[in-house]
Structure formats: C-alpha cells, structure tokens
Amino acid sequence: MGKLPVIELFLLSLCDLVISVSTGSSDGHLVTCLASDREALMDFKSGLHDPNNVLSSWRGSDCCEWHGIECDNSTKAVVAVDLHNPYGFDDRYAFWNLSGEIRPSLMKLKSLRLLDLSFNNFDGIPIPEFFGSLENLQYLNLSTAGFSGLIPTHLGNLSHLKVLDLGYSVGVNELCADNFQWITGLVSLEHLVMNQVNLSLVKDWAGALNQLPSIVELHLSGCYLSGYIPSVPSLNFSSLVVMDLSFNNFYSKIPDWLVNVSSLQHIDMTESNLHGRIPLGLGEMPNLVSLDLSQNYDLTANCSQLFQKRWEKIQVINFRENMVYGKLPLSLGDMTSLTRLDLDSNAIEGGIPSSIGKLCNLNSFSLSWNNMTGNLPEILEGTQTCPFKKPLHNLQYFDLGINKLGGKIPYWIGQLENMVNLDLSDNLFQGHIPTSFGSLRNLVTLNLRKNKLDGILPESVGQLSHLSEFDVSSNQLGGVISQIHFSKLINLDVLDLSSNLFIVNISSNWMPPFQVEALIMGSCILGPSFPSWLQSQKEIKILDLSNAGISDSIPNCNNFIGRIPSSLGNCSMLDQLDLSNNSLSGAIPNSLGQLQWLTLLHLSDNRLSGNLPLSFINLSHLQTLDLRNNELFGEIPSWIGDRFGFLTYLDLRSNAFFGEIPHELSKLRLLQVLDLGENDLSGNIPANFGDLKAMILNKSRERVGLWIQGIAVRQSNYDYYGRDQDRLVVNAKGQSLMYTTTLYLVTSIDLSGNNLSGRIPHELTKLSGLTYLSLSRNHLTGSIP
C-alpha cells in the first residue's frame, strides 16, 4: 500500500504530459498529416514485425488517423507515436508485441514530442543512438520493451525531455550504463525511471542527478547500486517529490543530505542494505507523506524518540524487519494523517497506547513479530478528531500476531466494520471470542490461533460471507460445532479448528456452502461415522482428520497405484500438481502439456518411464520441475532452456537420461537449483553455464523483477496451509536435505555420477551466488579453475 501514492502521482504526471502533446483532431477539425511524416512512418513500419496486425490502420493518406499517431492541429505535423502494448505485463497478450528493427526514418519526424514503445519485445537490440537526435522530444518511454546493452549517451542531447522511462530490463534483455555524465544534459527532465537498469559501474550518480534542476520523480529501484550513498556538497534537489532507491545493495547509512530535501513527499529505500540509526530529522521533513525503510535489517531507532517528532502529514510508515526498539509513545496519536503503520519484525516492547484511537485515517496497523505485552487498550470512547466519534473507523488490516499480548480480546474490535484482515495469533489472549465478530461483514481473514481462548465458538461467525481464511486452532475452545457456524461462509478456502475440544455435530445430508482447499480438524470429534458431507468438497488439497474419533471406513478415492490418468489434462486451471512419493508407473501422459498455467510439477519418487513428453513445451509458466528418482530416459530436451522462462528449480536426478547436457539451459535466467546427478550424461560441461543469472545476481533484484511482471515469487514457498507450497530435496555432502521455507536461498548445481568428460569450465567461477557445486564421479580432466 505504501507504493500507491508514488504510482498515482507518477501516472497523473504522465497523463498531464500526454495531454499536452496530444493535440490532434479531438476538436472536430480535419487534420491531414504532412506527406514527409507519412513516408517516414511507412518506412518505420517496414522494419517492424507485427504478428497481430496492430498497425493495420496504417494505410491511406491521413496518418493522423492511424493507430497511435497524433498530429498538431496547426502544423499538421506528427507530434506523438504511441505504440505501447496496452496489456502491459500480461503475457497472455504477448502476441500484441511489436519487434524487429527501429528504422532511422523516425528522425524525419521533426516535431515529434512523444515516443512510447513500452511493453513490446525488441529482443535484445540496443536503444538506437539516433533517438538522441529527436531534439523536440519531451516524453520517451522504452520500459519493458526488450532493449539491452549500454544506454546511448546521445540521449543526453534531449534538452527538452521531461519524462525518460527505461525501467524493468530483466535477464538477458538488460540495459546498463557505465556513467551518468550524459544525464546532466537533460536539463528539462522531471521524471526519471530506470528501475532494474544495471548501474553497478556508475559512481557519482547522486551528484549527476543533483544537477537536474527540474527533477520531480526519481526511480532507481533494483539498479545494483552499491557502497555508500554519495554525498552531495551543494544540494539542488529543490523540486524532488519522489525518491525510490529500493532493492539496491548500498551498505550505507541514510545520508544526512536526505533530510534537507524539503520538497520530498515519498521516500522508498526498501531492502537496500542500509545500516545505522534512522535520522530523527526525517520527522521534521515538512512535506513527507510516505516513508518505506523496510527490510534493511540493520537500521536502528528508539521508537519513543522517533515517533515524538512532528510527522503531521505522514500517511505511510513502513519500518518492517529492522531493529527498531523501545516503546510506542503516547504521541503516536498525533499522527492524524497516518493511513499505514508497519513495524513488523522489530524489537518493540511494552503496550499499545490508547492514543491509537485518534488515528481516524488509519487503514493498516501491523506490529507482528515484536515483544509487545499487556492488554489491548479500551478505546470505545470517540475523540474530537474523528468524524462521528468512531475511533479506527477506517481500519482494514490489523496484525498483532506473534507477540506476548494478553487479556481479553476487547469488544470494540468487533465494531470495526471495515476490517478485512484480523490477525491476533500467537499471543496470550484468553477468555471468549467476542460475539461482536459476527458484525465484521467485510472480514476475509480471521486468525486467532495459538492463544488461550476458551468458551464456545460464537454462532455469529457463520454470517461472515466474505471470510476466506478462518483459523482458531491451538486454543482451549470447546462446545458443539453445528452447520449454523458455517451457514453463510460461501467464500471459505481455509478452515482450521484443530487442537481444541470441539464436537462437530452436523447432519449427514448437509451440503456445505463452501468448497475449501484446506480443511484441518485434527482433535475435533467428528465420528464415529466418516462425515459424508466431506465428499462434496471437490477442491480440497489438505485434509487433516487426525484424532477425530472416526471408526468408519474411508470412502473410495481418484487410486494412487498405476498410471497417471490422462484426464488430469482436462483440469485446465491447475497450477500445482504433486504426485510424488507414490507407486506410479508408465509414461508421463502427453495430456499434462495442456496444463498451460502449471507452475509446480512434482512427480519424483515413482516408477515413471519413457521420454519427457514433447507437449511439455507448452508449460511456459513452470517454475518447478521435479522428476527425480524415476526411470525416465532419452536426451534432455533443449527446449527446456528456450520455453521455460520462469523455471527456478530443475531436478532430473537419478533417472536414465543420456546424451550431452544442452547448452540452452544457460538461458534459464531464474534457475537456482539444477540437479542432473546420477544419470548417464556424457560430453563436456557447457561453458555458458557461467551465464546462469540467478546464480550471479543479487536475489532481491530478481524478486523485484518478478513482482513487476505479476509473477508470484516464492521467497517463502511453504505456508501453514500448503497453498503456493514448494519444496525440494537437495543433495549436499552426501545427504539429501529437504528445503521448504528457506528454499529460495539455495543455489546449487549437481552434475555428479555421470559420464562427463573434458575440463571444468573456467566460466563457472562467475557464479558468485552459487552455494553448492558437485561434479564428482565423472571423467573430468585438467586443473581446477
């Protein structure tokens, strides 16, 4: 949520600029474009590859009516060429992408002020140097367009440029710069976006940017910036409103000059390896609205001192996963504009002051993983600062999990009618669950597990029709659970009532209103008969009925012996399939290639045989392919490297694959674990394995890149309910180790137990992020690099 104000401000600014250059035929006057401009556009089109015929309207004499073209009313000259892919990161619409050659005929568009080629795929070609000759250009957007290589310094000639967006170059299509001197020529620049451009060789980037007199927004997220943030002797950032330096690797303190940039409204330095004390002067910045310093781990601050500063205008504070300590001050209630406060995973102690009731605009309040103690305060009484005298009326996200808070859960929480997520888990709360919880009609997540709650489960929770996750496990609750408790829970996905004293008394012909994915009712008395209503649950992935008093036979289940049924290919929306550790045999059915949204495929530890199906070439979203310990054979297909662009874990260990290792595997830019051990592979180790990006790059930068593409990156892939779970066995030092929550930290290559020959490639020494390498039991020769 802290990012939203920044993004909204950026988009609004771009809209203003686009409106200022789009002065076409909206007023009804006929505009006919210049013949020279039309000829230039036709030549430009001839260099493009347009598989979806996006430019089908580019015919006839009036180019002002063509798709993406705008003309000036008075001069009839082309002023805007906007050919961005409107579907952005959605790869289902990749067929909209333009590619090919950028013809220099664009230089003939002398009045061009806007050029937007974003969200296309120019397949690694460099940014044309002649773009620096488009002297009237005010807006240039090449983000996520597949350009790579050095940014041409000729762009520094664009003295009228107001917006430059080169962001989100990822993997093989990576942009880079070796200096920032050229950027000082952009004297009109207001918005600079270079997120994920490799700036590791740029030294005095702060000094160069300080020479831009009109800069308003600066986005340098995930740019490989390192070392100390440079000092700025003479501060010129008089217009800077947004500064995003997140996901870098500085090893720096927060610079002193930052607190003197009085115009700043939004600061984001998430996960940038900052250390030292958070400057108290941040609280004195007169216009600051959003401050995100989360996940720096070594930033320290005394909570009481930090929040006794002014902060009148601040709306977002995110200091998650740092070393903030001390107690929350009573003056917390003075931050009346605050909408989000996230202090997760710090060392804050003491109680929660009743002054939080004054935070009328607070939308999200998170203090999980701290050392908070005491009872929750009574704040039923309204305050003069809150409209209608309803404290915390806007609160939607309330997370106090994993602390030492105790006492009774106050009744007023049930009056926060806008609440969406409520987490009080892993504390010392006791007493009854308030019946007022039944009034939280917008609630999606309710987590009360691991407390000391007793009494019965209120029937009123059955009215929470939006509830998706409901967890009251590991308490001392009891009494009878009936179908009334579930009467309107039509959106329920996860239900955990385990480790309580419940007796479930539900009619045998009851039809649940929900289809859950996880049903965990261990130690709930369900028997003696097997609950017939369970057979209506078609989406279930996790079922725990342990110690449930059932003495009945289990109904027949889709048998785990024999072949994988080809009908699985009809489950078109399936995104995870785990059939590991069974006795399955025969070939892998071709129909599995129809599961085009599959991200995780675990078929390990069976008796499967045959080749990898050619139909797997369609599994372009696959992130984990685990086929270890089977009887598969044939050559490892080269198309794995060409088609599995998101593959992170590839495990083909202990099969009978033969032939050479395909060098195309080096294209797997996200690959972290490669295990081809115990096969019959021959030939040399591919030298281009030294190009495996995820074993070189800083992992935080890769996570940003995937987030930008709308891909769920699995830092911690195994949650309590098993959804989005991932796990992998990694062989290291003669042991088979199962990784779950820490799997994202593992980088491993295992080629042991094959018939590989030749030298160990020196290029492997480039894999600076590699944690485990095994080449044993092969026929390698020569010296170790």
Side-chain angles (χ1 to χ4, degrees):
M1 288 181 294
K3 306 288 189 298
L4 289 180
V6 179
I7 294 172
E8 289 172 356
L9 179 62
F10 183 52
L11 293 180
L12 287 173
S13 303
L14 295 190
C15 289
D16 292 342
L17 182 62
V18 172
I19 290 171
S20 71
V21 300
S22 300
T23 55
S25 55
S26 59
D27 59 357
H29 294 297
L30 181 63
V31 177
T32 303
C33 72
L34 299 176
S36 58
D37 284 0
R38 182 174 61 251
E39 292 172 4
L41 289 172
M42 288 304 295
D43 184 72
F44 170 62
K45 177 187 177 184
S46 68
L48 298 176
H49 179 55
D50 181 12
N52 200 49
N53 228 3
V54 173
L55 305 182
S56 59
S57 64
W58 283 36
R59 59 177 181 266
S61 60
D62 189 5
C63 65
C64 297
E65 297 297 324
W66 294 354
H67 167 75
I69 303 301
E70 296 286 348
C71 297
D72 185 273
N73 269 339
S74 57
T75 66
K76 303 178 183 178
V78 171
V79 295
V81 177
D82 184 356
L83 298 180
H84 75 280
N85 184 334
Y87 296 101
F89 292 108
D90 193 336
D91 57 6
R92 291 177 298 176
Y93 295 93
F95 55 84
W96 274 76
N97 286 345
L98 298 173
S99 59
E101 175 192 4
I102 309 288
R103 301 290 295 270
S105 51
L106 276 181
M107 287 191 294
K108 297 179 180 179
L109 303 177
K110 300 297 184 182
S111 299
L112 191 64
R113 295 189 294 228
L114 181 148
L115 178 59
D116 190 341
L117 301 176
S118 59
F119 298 104
N120 286 294
N121 183 11
F122 287 97
D123 200 23
I125 67 172
I127 296 173
E129 291 185 358
F130 70 78
F131 280 4
S133 301
L134 302 174
E135 58 185 20
N136 290 308
L137 210 59
Q138 298 180 26
Y139 177 99
L140 178 59
N141 191 346
L142 305 178
S143 66
T144 323
F147 292 103
S148 68
L150 274 175
I151 299 170
T153 58
H154 298 72
L155 295 184
N157 299 329
L158 302 177
S159 59
H160 294 96
L161 199 65
K162 294 184 177 180
V163 173
L164 176 60
D165 189 344
L166 304 176
Y168 311 120
S169 62
V170 182
V172 293
N173 295 332
E174 182 179 72
L175 287 170
C176 59
D178 55 10
N179 72 82
F180 254 17
Q181 286 306 306
W182 59 272
I183 216 164
T184 60
L186 304 179
V187 293
S188 301
L189 198 65
E190 296 177 2
H191 301 267
L192 177 63
V193 182
M194 300 185 77
N195 294 337
Q196 293 195 254
V197 174
N198 189 334
L199 303 179
S200 59
L201 298 178
V202 177
K203 301 306 178 186
D204 189 19
W205 54 270
L209 295 170
N210 189 43
Q211 298 181 49
L212 301 178
S214 303
I215 192 72
V216 175
E217 295 204 15
L218 177 61
H219 298 263
L220 299 178
S221 176
C223 289
Y224 280 128
L225 296 171
S226 61
Y228 263 77
I229 298 176
S231 60
V232 181
S234 178
L235 199 63
N236 294 323
F237 287 124
S238 58
S239 303
L240 192 61
V241 173
V242 175
M243 185 174 72
D244 183 357
L245 299 177
S246 59
F247 298 98
N248 282 291
N249 192 30
F250 289 118
Y251 193 71
S252 172
K253 295 181 178 180
I254 297 174
D256 294 334
W257 56 261
L258 181 66
V259 298
N260 295 321
V261 185
S262 59
S263 56
L264 271 173
Q265 296 180 23
H266 305 276
I267 300 174
D268 189 349
M269 303 179 79
T270 302
E271 198 168 334
S272 289
N273 201 18
L274 300 173
H275 64 269
R277 293 188 70 84
I278 298 173
L280 298 179
L282 290 174
E284 304 294 340
M285 298 180 72
N287 295 299
L288 194 62
V289 172
S290 172
L291 177 60
D292 194 337
L293 301 176
S294 60
Q295 294 176 279
N296 281 290
Y297 310 112
D298 289 330
L299 278 178
T300 64
N302 185 302
C303 202
S304 300
Q305 294 177 356
L306 189 63
F307 291 122
Q308 281 180 348
K309 294 297 180 178
R310 286 166 44 187
W311 303 105
E312 288 101 341
K313 296 184 178 180
I314 195 75
Q315 296 177 11
V316 175
I317 296 178
N318 188 353
F319 292 162
R320 179 171 172 257
E321 295 185 46
N322 283 293
M323 298 178 67
V324 180
Y325 61 92
K327 297 182 179 180
L328 292 174
L330 296 175
S331 59
L332 190 69
D334 296 336
M335 295 186 281
T336 52
S337 298
L338 194 66
T339 62
R340 179 187 178 192
L341 178 62
D342 189 342
L343 297 170
D344 279 0
S345 304
N346 281 287
I348 302 171
E349 57 189 13
I352 296 175
S354 60
S355 58
I356 65 167
K358 298 180 181 179
L359 303 179
C360 316
N361 297 303
L362 196 63
N363 174 273
S364 177
F365 184 52
S366 185
L367 277 169
S368 65
W369 289 88
N370 278 287
N371 297 317
M372 305 297 296
T373 57
N375 300 347
L376 292 185
E378 289 295 334
I379 57 171
L380 271 177
E381 300 80 10
T383 65
Q384 296 298 322
T385 58
C386 293
F388 312 112
K389 296 187 177 180
K390 291 184 177 179
L392 301 177
H393 174 72
N394 292 315
L395 195 62
Q396 294 183 334
Y397 303 92
F398 194 25
D399 186 357
L400 300 177
I402 315 180
N403 279 287
K404 300 174 183 176
L405 295 164
K408 294 185 177 180
I409 298 176
Y411 190 86
W412 57 262
I413 291 182
Q415 297 180 328
L416 304 178
E417 57 192 38
N418 291 310
M419 186 73 71
V420 174
N421 291 322
L422 176 60
D423 189 342
L424 303 177
S425 63
D426 290 81
N427 276 287
L428 302 172
F429 291 112
Q430 51 190 272
H432 295 185
I433 298 174
T435 57
S436 60
F437 277 16
S439 300
L440 302 176
R441 299 303 172 88
N442 294 305
L443 203 61
V444 174
T445 300
L446 176 58
N447 191 349
L448 303 175
R449 73 187 184 102
K450 287 192 178 179
N451 279 286
K452 296 183 177 181
L453 299 171
D454 55 24
I456 62 172
L457 188 68
E459 292 183 349
S460 59
V461 299
Q463 304 301 308
L464 303 178
S465 59
H466 292 284
L467 198 63
S468 173
E469 298 182 11
F470 183 31
D471 189 346
V472 293
S473 63
S474 301
N475 279 286
Q476 299 165 17
L477 298 165
V480 175
I481 298 287
S482 71
Q483 51 217 54
I484 298 176
H485 290 91
F486 310 117
S487 57
K488 293 185 179 179
L489 303 186
I490 57 175
N491 289 300
L492 198 63
D493 286 330
V494 175
L495 176 63
D496 191 346
L497 304 177
S498 63
S499 300
N500 282 289
L501 302 171
F502 291 126
I503 299 173
V504 181
N505 184 13
I506 293 178
S507 170
S508 60
N509 60 1
W510 177 61
M511 286 296 293
F514 49 74
Q515 288 289 332
V516 293
E517 295 182 6
L519 182 62
I520 306 170
M521 302 182 74
S523 299
C524 297
I525 303 301
L526 290 160
S529 299
F530 195 92
S532 58
W533 57 269
L534 282 178
Q535 298 184 61
S536 69
Q537 300 301 293
K538 306 300 183 184
E539 306 294 329
I540 204 157
K541 296 179 180 177
I542 296 178
L543 179 63
D544 182 355
L545 301 181
S546 59
N547 193 30
I550 297 175
S551 58
D552 199 3
S553 60
I554 299 176
N556 290 331
C557 301
N558 184 0
N559 197 333
F560 279 45
I561 299 175
R563 295 176 177 267
I564 298 175
S566 59
S567 58
L568 272 177
N570 298 325
C571 303
S572 59
M573 299 307 293
L574 193 68
D575 70 350
Q576 300 178 28
L577 178 60
D578 188 344
L579 299 175
S580 58
N581 292 286
N582 284 292
S583 299
L584 299 170
S585 59
I588 300 173
N590 284 317
S591 62
L592 294 191
Q594 299 170 203
L595 305 175
Q596 59 177 333
W597 298 110
L598 203 65
T599 60
L600 310 182
L601 179 58
H602 288 275
L603 300 177
S604 61
D605 296 284
N606 282 287
R607 296 200 299 270
L608 299 170
S609 58
N611 298 322
L612 284 184
L614 180 60
S615 62
F616 273 25
I617 201 170
N618 299 317
L619 303 181
S620 59
H621 291 84
L622 207 60
Q623 297 172 15
T624 294
L625 178 59
D626 179 9
L627 303 176
R628 69 160 40 210
N629 290 339
N630 278 287
E631 299 167 11
L632 298 166
F633 55 82
E635 295 186 348
I636 297 175
S638 60
W639 45 256
I640 289 180
D642 293 318
R643 299 302 296 263
F644 292 178
F646 298 114
L647 198 66
T648 307
Y649 309 111
L650 175 60
D651 192 342
L652 304 179
R653 186 180 188 87
S654 297
N655 281 282
F657 290 107
F658 55 78
E660 296 189 355
I661 299 174
H663 64 85
E664 287 86 356
L665 295 184
S666 67
K667 298 178 182 179
L668 299 173
R669 60 185 175 84
L670 301 179
L671 193 67
Q672 289 182 216
V673 173
L674 173 63
D675 193 342
L676 305 179
E678 307 295 338
N679 280 284
D680 195 21
L681 299 170
S682 58
N684 297 332
I685 299 173
N688 61 2
F689 273 15
D691 297 330
L692 289 167
K693 295 289 186 181
M695 301 186 189
I696 304 173
L697 298 179
N698 180 287
K699 289 188 178 61
S700 63
R701 185 171 186 271
E702 282 299 314
R703 287 201 294 273
V704 181
L706 290 181
W707 172 75
I708 290 298
Q709 298 175 57
I711 302 299
V713 181
R714 296 161 289 128
Q715 293 185 49
S716 180
N717 296 303
Y718 187 90
D719 66 13
Y720 183 75
Y721 304 114
R723 294 169 309 144
D724 293 328
Q725 66 175 317
D726 204 359
R727 54 176 177 69
L728 202 68
V729 174
V730 177
N731 283 71
K733 298 182 180 179
Q735 294 182 319
S736 297
L737 305 176
M738 174 69 77
Y739 286 88
T740 55
T741 56
T742 58
L743 178 58
Y744 76 99
L745 295 173
V746 179
T747 50
S748 168
I749 295 179
D750 192 334
L751 306 178
S752 62
N754 283 286
N755 291 311
L756 300 174
S757 58
R759 294 177 176 271
I760 299 174
H762 185 272
E763 288 81 356
L764 293 184
T765 61
K766 295 193 296 184
L767 304 179
S768 57
L770 193 64
T771 56
Y772 181 76
L773 173 66
S774 179
L775 305 176
S776 63
R777 289 175 291 118
N778 280 288
H779 306 291
L780 302 173
T781 58
S783 59
I784 298 175

